[in-house]
Amino acid sequence: MKNLTLFSLLFLLLACNKPVPGEIREIPVLPKPQSVSFYKGDFIMSHDATLKFDQSDIKVKEIADQVTAFVGKLSIPEKGKGNIELTIDNQADMKPSGYQIKVRRNKIRITAKNADGLFYGFQTLKQLIPSDGSGKVPFLDMTDFPAFGWRGLMLDCSRTFLPKDYVLKYIDRLAAIKMNILHLHLTDDQGWRIEIKKYPELTRICSNFDPKYAGEVNGFYTQEDIREIVAYAAKNFITVVPEIEMPGHSTEIFAAYPQFSCSGKKSAIFPFFKGPGVTEDILCAGNDSVFTFMEDVLSEVIALFPSEYIHIGGDEAPKAAWKKCSKCQNRIKKEGLKDEAELQSYFIRRIEKFINSKGRKLIGWDEILEGGLAENAAVMSWRGVQGGIEAARQGHCVVMSPTSHCYFDYSYVTTSAEKVYSYHPVPNELSVSQTKLVLGAQANMWTHIARTEETIDAQIFPRLYALAEVLWTNPVTRDYPDLEKRISKLRGYENH
Ligand SMILES: [Zn+2]
């Protein structure tokens, strides 16, 4: 009888440890996790919760510091019974960048194979803690991982210079919704925005609008600013991809260095809608000193940005100047090129060799397909999806950013958040092996129309929430009204 009682007690204890399945609870996690099981009961997050983690792992320690800072600012009960555990398990059977969260009476445990997964688990935890002061987090088991590895936003810092603090704020906003690429469009006709030590005129002259356009905002990032942005992004598991435009969209360079253009004429820097419009002048492809210049610039850029990919633009390069230029025509003859499209291809291939020699990969807008794609180049498909399909068929990596769904400078009338949410980055035309070449997608925010922080924010959100979920979550579970409901429950895109 005594034994039986002990046995019953033991059985009861074991049974108590097993969570009782609970009803589905609404949790405003965005992007929606891959799978969640709920159990009856709630963990109470409190200020006296102990944070347990491996102190010897620097990356984990950095995440733990962020968790501590976040919990410290929360309005939650002072006392509770639970702890938070952050665990890296190298042997865990998880998808890349995945994580698991287990919430029980005494603890919340986030487990991941790598630090990025742990960071994403922390982003989810932030959204699980309600703003009502109760600290209540439902008992649950969550398994989560992203559908795509490239989840990006491009900010155009050339047409409108975006201050460093604004860029840093965007890193927080991207991290909160588990996006991992910030592409900075650093140069264009409207201004050169990055300090290059070897060519100080690029920022002294080429970052300023012509004085006749009074009231325009000038500016650029010093190399110190860039280091700060890149380091802050890294802490948030975001890669900053720099873009230096060539051979077109480069007339701002000729304000200081007219010798690099075909015409040799100096140009003035004009706001997008106030100046002469698209000019014919582009970098001269027949002049070797242009390549020396660009290689010098790229050397400094590569030293600043650890990104695997370096974006070289390559879009909308008008060919009229090359047609009239004797140096460019000589190059076509000497290299046995068919026409100016092949000259553009020659230009990009030559730059690609240089980028590859530095251990990096080239990515460019889909025009780099014209005249033949450089050997290892990746393509960012913007004029629709055809460029992406073509590049993948040729065995190249692709990032999708078609104007139809991913151009956030477009009006909400043409591109609603619901339309963005309907996007599928992998075109049906691709074979199974080709689909693996689609790295993901990104939103592009050009700043020629919206030119203030408020208007730019309004173009990006709420559409970026929709794209974040497209790139993370299983498309089978898409539910737009549910997305809208979750957006309304979040604390706002800062989410801090
Ligand atoms: Zn030329």
Side-chain angles (χ1 to χ4, degrees):
M1 188 65 196
K2 200 178 165 194
N3 278 347
L4 193 66
T5 313
L6 265 175
F7 181 78
S8 309
L9 257 173
L10 198 66
F11 179 80
L12 253 171
L13 270 171
L14 280 171
C16 282
N17 272 341
K18 215 169 177 206
V20 182
E23 69 218 33
I24 294 169
R25 306 269 287 267
E26 281 187 5
I27 47 171
V29 178
L30 198 163
K32 193 190 282 179
Q34 301 290 351
S35 79
V36 192
S37 304
F38 292 95
Y39 304 105
K40 272 187 182 152
D42 296 285
F43 169 94
I44 309 293
M45 178 67 88
S46 57
H47 282 298
D48 67 344
T50 313
L51 187 59
K52 295 180 180 173
F53 61 96
D54 179 0
Q55 302 267 356
S56 67
D57 189 325
I58 298 165
K59 281 191 170 171
V60 174
K61 173 136 188 5
E62 273 184 7
I63 297 168
D65 289 345
Q66 294 181 49
V67 175
T68 306
F70 173 72
V71 173
K73 281 188 272 177
L74 285 177
S75 122
I76 46 173
E78 282 309 311
K79 290 195 183 302
K81 285 181 186 162
N83 300 319
I84 306 169
E85 289 179 19
L86 307 177
T87 312
I88 293 282
D89 178 0
N90 297 316
Q91 305 302 316
D93 179 22
M94 281 187 205
K95 302 251 189 196
S97 305
Y99 66 91
Q100 288 172 344
I101 299 184
K102 195 182 194 125
V103 183
R104 296 291 187 273
R105 189 172 305 281
N106 296 323
K107 70 177 163 217
I108 289 184
R109 183 198 281 157
I110 307 175
T111 309
K113 202 168 183 168
N114 295 301
D116 59 344
L118 203 58
F119 181 79
Y120 297 135
F122 165 46
Q123 301 315 311
T124 298
L125 176 64
K126 283 179 177 177
Q127 296 174 340
L128 284 173
I129 299 167
S131 52
D132 61 5
S134 68
K136 275 186 179 176
V137 182
F139 293 167
L140 57 79
D141 282 326
M142 183 185 291
T143 298
D144 201 12
F145 53 86
F148 293 95
W150 188 295
R151 304 180 299 280
L153 170 70
M154 184 279 285
L155 290 177
D156 171 6
C157 331
S158 173
R159 270 57 176 273
T160 300
F161 176 66
L162 306 173
K164 181 188 75 182
D165 286 345
Y166 185 68
V167 174
L168 294 175
K169 201 153 70 173
Y170 260 89
I171 290 171
D172 289 337
R173 293 170 178 183
L174 290 174
I177 50 175
K178 305 186 180 80
M179 297 195 73
N180 67 346
I181 301 281
L182 175 61
H183 165 181
L184 294 179
H185 185 75
L186 292 164
T187 72
D188 211 306
D189 299 326
Q190 277 66 46
W192 185 281
R193 307 294 181 200
I194 175 171
E195 178 189 21
I196 301 295
K197 303 266 189 201
K198 199 162 186 176
Y199 300 92
E201 306 289 79
L202 283 173
T203 40
R204 197 179 68 82
I205 293 172
C206 309
S207 71
N208 300 317
F209 287 100
D210 189 275
K212 74 176 169 197
Y213 304 107
E216 289 296 330
V217 177
N218 299 317
F220 65 91
Y221 308 111
T222 64
Q223 295 206 349
E224 208 40 53
D225 290 337
I226 295 288
R227 280 190 204 96
E228 188 182 339
I229 290 169
V230 167
Y232 190 66
K235 268 192 172 184
N236 286 281
F237 294 85
I238 289 171
T239 300
V240 185
V241 177
E243 179 184 356
I244 304 294
E245 269 275 16
M246 64 190 86
H249 286 279
S250 55
T251 57
E252 85 287 12
I253 298 170
F254 312 140
Y257 302 97
Q259 66 270 32
F260 296 142
S261 76
C262 286
S263 71
K265 278 189 204 138
K266 206 171 178 147
S267 31
I269 300 176
F270 53 89
F272 193 87
F273 288 113
K274 294 183 189 164
V278 177
T279 59
E280 282 186 357
D281 238 358
I282 67 172
L283 288 162
C284 180
N287 180 351
D288 281 331
S289 64
V290 167
F291 290 93
T292 309
F293 164 72
M294 265 306 168
E295 288 175 9
D296 288 342
V297 165
L298 288 171
S299 294
E300 292 193 31
V301 168
I302 285 167
L304 288 166
F305 295 88
S307 163
E308 178 186 8
Y309 285 99
I310 303 295
H311 203 302
I312 55 77
D315 59 317
E316 299 179 320
K319 306 295 190 302
W322 284 356
K323 279 199 175 113
K324 282 189 271 183
C325 170
S326 59
K327 281 183 194 159
C328 286
Q329 291 306 312
N330 279 342
R331 178 82 75 195
I332 288 175
K333 260 184 236 137
K334 206 176 121 214
E335 297 291 331
L337 307 172
K338 201 170 78 199
D339 54 14
E340 287 73 24
E342 286 199 0
L343 183 59
Q344 155 123 347
S345 179
Y346 163 87
F347 192 109
I348 303 297
R349 282 175 207 265
R350 192 163 160 180
I351 294 293
E352 182 188 43
K353 273 203 189 91
F354 179 76
I355 289 176
N356 289 167
S357 78
K358 298 273 180 182
R360 306 298 180 88
K361 294 178 183 165
L362 178 148
I363 187 164
W365 302 108
D366 55 63
E367 284 94 330
I368 66 170
L369 280 154
E370 291 162 14
L373 190 51
E375 208 178 335
N376 308 306
V379 166
M380 200 167 262
S381 190
W382 74 278
R383 297 176 299 178
V385 297
Q386 208 48 45
I389 293 169
E390 189 50 44
R393 282 183 177 153
Q394 292 180 29
H396 292 258
C397 285
V398 169
V399 174
M400 298 308 249
S401 59
T403 51
S404 58
H405 295 81
C406 296
Y407 267 45
F408 286 7
D409 53 309
Y410 283 27
S411 125
Y412 279 84
V413 176
T414 55
T415 314
S416 65
E418 190 166 7
K419 185 176 178 189
V420 174
Y421 197 56
S422 72
Y423 185 53
H424 291 276
V426 178
N428 292 329
E429 292 90 330
L430 297 181
S431 71
V432 175
S433 63
Q434 288 162 354
T435 62
K436 293 190 180 120
L437 297 168
V438 179
L439 304 176
Q442 73 175 36
N444 294 332
M445 182 58 216
W446 301 103
T447 56
H448 52 310
I449 303 167
R451 300 194 61 203
T452 63
E453 294 183 11
E454 271 174 10
T455 54
I456 292 168
D457 287 351
Q459 291 298 117
I460 294 177
F461 290 98
R463 289 188 280 206
L464 198 62
Y465 290 130
L467 189 67
E469 190 145 305
V470 163
L471 293 169
W472 184 280
T473 308
N474 185 342
V476 173
T477 67
R478 279 188 206 168
D479 177 345
Y480 188 69
D482 178 65
L483 175 79
E484 281 188 313
K485 205 152 80 179
R486 279 177 287 131
I487 290 171
S488 71
K489 283 190 178 171
L490 291 174
R491 290 185 180 88
Y493 41 65
E494 296 86 356
N495 212 46
H496 283 266

PDB file of all heavy atoms in Angstrom, residues 260-263 282-287 321-322 324-329 343, ligand 1:
ATOM      1  N   PHE A 260      36.446  61.765 -65.939  1.00  0.00           N
ATOM      2  CA  PHE A 260      36.001  60.361 -65.972  1.00  0.00           C
ATOM      3  C   PHE A 260      34.758  60.157 -66.843  1.00  0.00           C
ATOM      4  O   PHE A 260      34.277  59.040 -67.001  1.00  0.00           O
ATOM      5  CB  PHE A 260      35.725  59.840 -64.556  1.00  0.00           C
ATOM      6  CG  PHE A 260      36.964  59.808 -63.685  1.00  0.00           C
ATOM      7  CD1 PHE A 260      36.893  60.133 -62.336  1.00  0.00           C
ATOM      8  CD2 PHE A 260      38.198  59.447 -64.222  1.00  0.00           C
ATOM      9  CE1 PHE A 260      38.035  60.110 -61.531  1.00  0.00           C
ATOM     10  CE2 PHE A 260      39.343  59.422 -63.425  1.00  0.00           C
ATOM     11  CZ  PHE A 260      39.262  59.769 -62.081  1.00  0.00           C
ATOM     12  N   SER A 261      34.214  61.243 -67.399  1.00  0.00           N
ATOM     13  CA  SER A 261      33.048  61.090 -68.280  1.00  0.00           C
ATOM     14  C   SER A 261      33.529  61.017 -69.728  1.00  0.00           C
ATOM     15  O   SER A 261      34.697  61.298 -70.017  1.00  0.00           O
ATOM     16  CB  SER A 261      32.108  62.274 -68.113  1.00  0.00           C
ATOM     17  OG  SER A 261      32.635  63.408 -68.777  1.00  0.00           O
ATOM     18  N   CYS A 262      32.632  60.661 -70.628  1.00  0.00           N
ATOM     19  CA  CYS A 262      32.991  60.615 -72.047  1.00  0.00           C
ATOM     20  C   CYS A 262      33.178  62.016 -72.611  1.00  0.00           C
ATOM     21  O   CYS A 262      34.084  62.263 -73.388  1.00  0.00           O
ATOM     22  CB  CYS A 262      31.920  59.869 -72.844  1.00  0.00           C
ATOM     23  SG  CYS A 262      31.965  58.084 -72.582  1.00  0.00           S
ATOM     24  N   SER A 263      32.326  62.951 -72.183  1.00  0.00           N
ATOM     25  CA  SER A 263      32.368  64.302 -72.759  1.00  0.00           C
ATOM     26  C   SER A 263      33.468  65.156 -72.136  1.00  0.00           C
ATOM     27  O   SER A 263      33.927  66.111 -72.741  1.00  0.00           O
ATOM     28  CB  SER A 263      31.025  64.994 -72.542  1.00  0.00           C
ATOM     29  OG  SER A 263      30.875  65.316 -71.169  1.00  0.00           O
ATOM     30  N   ILE A 282      27.883  59.428 -68.928  1.00  0.00           N
ATOM     31  CA  ILE A 282      28.149  58.329 -67.989  1.00  0.00           C
ATOM     32  C   ILE A 282      29.658  58.121 -67.918  1.00  0.00           C
ATOM     33  O   ILE A 282      30.423  58.781 -68.626  1.00  0.00           O
ATOM     34  CB  ILE A 282      27.410  57.021 -68.381  1.00  0.00           C
ATOM     35  CG1 ILE A 282      27.943  56.422 -69.681  1.00  0.00           C
ATOM     36  CG2 ILE A 282      25.923  57.253 -68.506  1.00  0.00           C
ATOM     37  CD1 ILE A 282      27.339  55.032 -69.963  1.00  0.00           C
ATOM     38  N   LEU A 283      30.084  57.221 -67.046  1.00  0.00           N
ATOM     39  CA  LEU A 283      31.517  56.950 -66.914  1.00  0.00           C
ATOM     40  C   LEU A 283      32.048  56.396 -68.236  1.00  0.00           C
ATOM     41  O   LEU A 283      31.407  55.561 -68.873  1.00  0.00           O
ATOM     42  CB  LEU A 283      31.760  55.935 -65.789  1.00  0.00           C
ATOM     43  CG  LEU A 283      31.542  56.460 -64.363  1.00  0.00           C
ATOM     44  CD1 LEU A 283      31.365  55.302 -63.384  1.00  0.00           C
ATOM     45  CD2 LEU A 283      32.700  57.358 -63.922  1.00  0.00           C
ATOM     46  N   CYS A 284      33.214  56.864 -68.640  1.00  0.00           N
ATOM     47  CA  CYS A 284      33.793  56.443 -69.918  1.00  0.00           C
ATOM     48  C   CYS A 284      34.385  55.038 -69.775  1.00  0.00           C
ATOM     49  O   CYS A 284      35.246  54.794 -68.937  1.00  0.00           O
ATOM     50  CB  CYS A 284      34.878  57.432 -70.348  1.00  0.00           C
ATOM     51  SG  CYS A 284      35.628  56.966 -71.920  1.00  0.00           S
ATOM     52  N   ALA A 285      33.891  54.121 -70.622  1.00  0.00           N
ATOM     53  CA  ALA A 285      34.355  52.738 -70.547  1.00  0.00           C
ATOM     54  C   ALA A 285      35.637  52.520 -71.357  1.00  0.00           C
ATOM     55  O   ALA A 285      36.224  51.444 -71.328  1.00  0.00           O
ATOM     56  CB  ALA A 285      33.256  51.799 -71.049  1.00  0.00           C
ATOM     57  N   GLY A 286      36.048  53.573 -72.077  1.00  0.00           N
ATOM     58  CA  GLY A 286      37.257  53.433 -72.888  1.00  0.00           C
ATOM     59  C   GLY A 286      38.488  54.007 -72.196  1.00  0.00           C
ATOM     60  O   GLY A 286      39.592  53.952 -72.727  1.00  0.00           O
ATOM     61  N   ASN A 287      38.289  54.562 -70.995  1.00  0.00           N
ATOM     62  CA  ASN A 287      39.352  55.271 -70.285  1.00  0.00           C
ATOM     63  C   ASN A 287      39.824  54.425 -69.090  1.00  0.00           C
ATOM     64  O   ASN A 287      39.078  54.223 -68.137  1.00  0.00           O
ATOM     65  CB  ASN A 287      38.768  56.618 -69.822  1.00  0.00           C
ATOM     66  CG  ASN A 287      39.778  57.456 -69.078  1.00  0.00           C
ATOM     67  OD1 ASN A 287      40.866  56.994 -68.746  1.00  0.00           O
ATOM     68  ND2 ASN A 287      39.414  58.706 -68.820  1.00  0.00           N
ATOM     69  N   ALA A 321      26.322  58.468 -75.100  1.00  0.00           N
ATOM     70  CA  ALA A 321      27.649  59.051 -74.912  1.00  0.00           C
ATOM     71  C   ALA A 321      28.731  58.079 -75.391  1.00  0.00           C
ATOM     72  O   ALA A 321      29.728  58.493 -75.995  1.00  0.00           O
ATOM     73  CB  ALA A 321      27.861  59.416 -73.445  1.00  0.00           C
ATOM     74  N   TRP A 322      28.548  56.813 -75.101  1.00  0.00           N
ATOM     75  CA  TRP A 322      29.522  55.808 -75.544  1.00  0.00           C
ATOM     76  C   TRP A 322      29.579  55.718 -77.072  1.00  0.00           C
ATOM     77  O   TRP A 322      30.620  55.479 -77.654  1.00  0.00           O
ATOM     78  CB  TRP A 322      29.163  54.418 -74.967  1.00  0.00           C
ATOM     79  CG  TRP A 322      29.506  54.280 -73.502  1.00  0.00           C
ATOM     80  CD1 TRP A 322      30.128  55.190 -72.708  1.00  0.00           C
ATOM     81  CD2 TRP A 322      29.241  53.130 -72.672  1.00  0.00           C
ATOM     82  NE1 TRP A 322      30.269  54.696 -71.430  1.00  0.00           N
ATOM     83  CE2 TRP A 322      29.732  53.440 -71.381  1.00  0.00           C
ATOM     84  CE3 TRP A 322      28.637  51.889 -72.892  1.00  0.00           C
ATOM     85  CZ2 TRP A 322      29.648  52.538 -70.320  1.00  0.00           C
ATOM     86  CZ3 TRP A 322      28.556  50.988 -71.837  1.00  0.00           C
ATOM     87  CH2 TRP A 322      29.049  51.301 -70.563  1.00  0.00           C
ATOM     88  N   LYS A 324      29.190  58.150 -79.128  1.00  0.00           N
ATOM     89  CA  LYS A 324      29.882  59.327 -79.683  1.00  0.00           C
ATOM     90  C   LYS A 324      31.356  59.399 -79.260  1.00  0.00           C
ATOM     91  O   LYS A 324      32.104  60.197 -79.797  1.00  0.00           O
ATOM     92  CB  LYS A 324      29.172  60.598 -79.181  1.00  0.00           C
ATOM     93  CG  LYS A 324      27.875  60.907 -79.932  1.00  0.00           C
ATOM     94  CD  LYS A 324      27.336  62.269 -79.545  1.00  0.00           C
ATOM     95  CE  LYS A 324      26.419  62.153 -78.357  1.00  0.00           C
ATOM     96  NZ  LYS A 324      25.769  63.345 -77.899  1.00  0.00           N
ATOM     97  N   CYS A 325      31.742  58.589 -78.264  1.00  0.00           N
ATOM     98  CA  CYS A 325      33.066  58.749 -77.644  1.00  0.00           C
ATOM     99  C   CYS A 325      34.118  57.906 -78.378  1.00  0.00           C
ATOM    100  O   CYS A 325      33.956  56.691 -78.542  1.00  0.00           O
ATOM    101  CB  CYS A 325      32.972  58.340 -76.180  1.00  0.00           C
ATOM    102  SG  CYS A 325      34.558  58.222 -75.355  1.00  0.00           S
ATOM    103  N   SER A 326      35.198  58.552 -78.820  1.00  0.00           N
ATOM    104  CA  SER A 326      36.220  57.820 -79.587  1.00  0.00           C
ATOM    105  C   SER A 326      36.923  56.770 -78.707  1.00  0.00           C
ATOM    106  O   SER A 326      37.253  55.685 -79.165  1.00  0.00           O
ATOM    107  CB  SER A 326      37.235  58.791 -80.185  1.00  0.00           C
ATOM    108  OG  SER A 326      37.847  59.525 -79.145  1.00  0.00           O
ATOM    109  N   LYS A 327      37.119  57.101 -77.423  1.00  0.00           N
ATOM    110  CA  LYS A 327      37.779  56.132 -76.520  1.00  0.00           C
ATOM    111  C   LYS A 327      36.928  54.876 -76.364  1.00  0.00           C
ATOM    112  O   LYS A 327      37.433  53.751 -76.368  1.00  0.00           O
ATOM    113  CB  LYS A 327      37.997  56.763 -75.143  1.00  0.00           C
ATOM    114  CG  LYS A 327      39.182  57.704 -75.074  1.00  0.00           C
ATOM    115  CD  LYS A 327      39.337  58.214 -73.648  1.00  0.00           C
ATOM    116  CE  LYS A 327      40.271  59.406 -73.605  1.00  0.00           C
ATOM    117  NZ  LYS A 327      40.088  60.214 -72.403  1.00  0.00           N
ATOM    118  N   CYS A 328      35.612  55.091 -76.178  1.00  0.00           N
ATOM    119  CA  CYS A 328      34.708  53.945 -76.011  1.00  0.00           C
ATOM    120  C   CYS A 328      34.655  53.115 -77.296  1.00  0.00           C
ATOM    121  O   CYS A 328      34.655  51.882 -77.246  1.00  0.00           O
ATOM    122  CB  CYS A 328      33.311  54.415 -75.607  1.00  0.00           C
ATOM    123  SG  CYS A 328      33.229  54.958 -73.887  1.00  0.00           S
ATOM    124  N   GLN A 329      34.603  53.799 -78.438  1.00  0.00           N
ATOM    125  CA  GLN A 329      34.561  53.080 -79.716  1.00  0.00           C
ATOM    126  C   GLN A 329      35.861  52.297 -79.947  1.00  0.00           C
ATOM    127  O   GLN A 329      35.841  51.173 -80.460  1.00  0.00           O
ATOM    128  CB  GLN A 329      34.271  54.059 -80.871  1.00  0.00           C
ATOM    129  CG  GLN A 329      32.850  54.632 -80.834  1.00  0.00           C
ATOM    130  CD  GLN A 329      31.763  53.551 -80.778  1.00  0.00           C
ATOM    131  OE1 GLN A 329      31.797  52.597 -81.549  1.00  0.00           O
ATOM    132  NE2 GLN A 329      30.820  53.698 -79.855  1.00  0.00           N
ATOM    133  N   LEU A 343      29.760  46.520 -74.433  1.00  0.00           N
ATOM    134  CA  LEU A 343      30.727  47.386 -73.737  1.00  0.00           C
ATOM    135  C   LEU A 343      30.334  47.515 -72.258  1.00  0.00           C
ATOM    136  O   LEU A 343      31.187  47.495 -71.369  1.00  0.00           O
ATOM    137  CB  LEU A 343      30.787  48.771 -74.397  1.00  0.00           C
ATOM    138  CG  LEU A 343      31.813  49.752 -73.817  1.00  0.00           C
ATOM    139  CD1 LEU A 343      33.235  49.201 -73.896  1.00  0.00           C
ATOM    140  CD2 LEU A 343      31.738  51.110 -74.525  1.00  0.00           C
TER     141      LEU A 343
HETATM  142 ZN    ZN B   1      33.836  57.122 -73.409  1.00  0.00          ZN
END
